[in-house]
Amino acid sequence: MNDVRIVYRKYGGALHWNHPGHLLGEDEHGVWVKVPDGTLARKGDDPPVCWKTPVTMLFPRNAWWTASFHVPPQRSELYVDVTTVPEWRDDEVTMLDLDLDVIKMRDGRIILDDEDEFAEHQLLLNYPTDLITQAEKSARWLLNAVSKGQGPFGGAHLVWQTKTS
């Protein structure tokens, strides 16, 4: 099993969520990674948090987002972060978290989250106009694709959730 390091940063380079995972493989949607239950994750330099359920993550090759597919009892079924395009260097994937999140809850509700944080960070972190435009475009696309179950959001994760390596 290939171990990988998942590193989210904020615009400007500050460390955000970071944790290990295990490379599962690739398909037409991108690179799939398993984050097993019991994984210790950190938000920046905060104390580690233990994830109680496994997560299957997808890192697309040329899209401005990353996806986390959750199992019960997690309240969300799907959590998609709007990010810069994930970049792989050796055994590490890195991207900038751009605040906006598209979340599919277990009851079917689809939420665009953290619009207030996105607006605040545009000023506080001085997001460039093209970054703002791309993040908003990605969020709109994700809301539509998740709502309609298109692309990787139509169940592609199910085959990967059962794999262990």
Side-chain angles (χ1 to χ4, degrees), residues 6-17 59 63-66 80-89 93-101 117-118 121 125-128 130-132 134-135 138:
I6 300 161
V7 180
Y8 287 85
R9 294 189 176 277
K10 286 296 190 177
Y11 187 78
L15 188 59
H16 194 46
W17 281 106
F59 299 95
W64 284 60
W65 53 267
T66 64
V80 187
D81 288 284
V82 174
T83 68
T84 56
V85 175
E87 295 181 17
W88 287 90
R89 288 188 194 95
V93 61
T94 305
M95 68 277 347
L96 298 179
D97 180 292
L98 300 175
D99 313 312
L100 296 171
D101 306 301
E117 185 179 341
F118 180 63
H121 284 170
L125 299 176
N126 198 25
Y127 286 178
D130 59 333
L131 189 84
I132 296 167
Q134 185 60 54
S138 292

Side-chain angles (χ1 to χ4, degrees), residues 21-71:
H22 304 294
L23 182 65
L24 293 174
E26 298 183 47
D27 66 10
E28 68 273 16
H29 303 296
V31 179
W32 294 88
V33 173
K34 173 80 91 178
V35 181
D37 57 330
T39 294
L40 293 179
R42 295 178 79 127
K43 187 174 185 179
D45 293 321
D46 289 351
V49 175
C50 182
W51 289 2
K52 297 184 187 211
T53 58
V55 177
T56 304
M57 299 185 76
L58 172 60
F59 299 95
R61 289 180 197 83
N62 295 304
W64 284 60
W65 53 267
T66 64
S68 299
F69 298 86
H70 300 189
V71 297

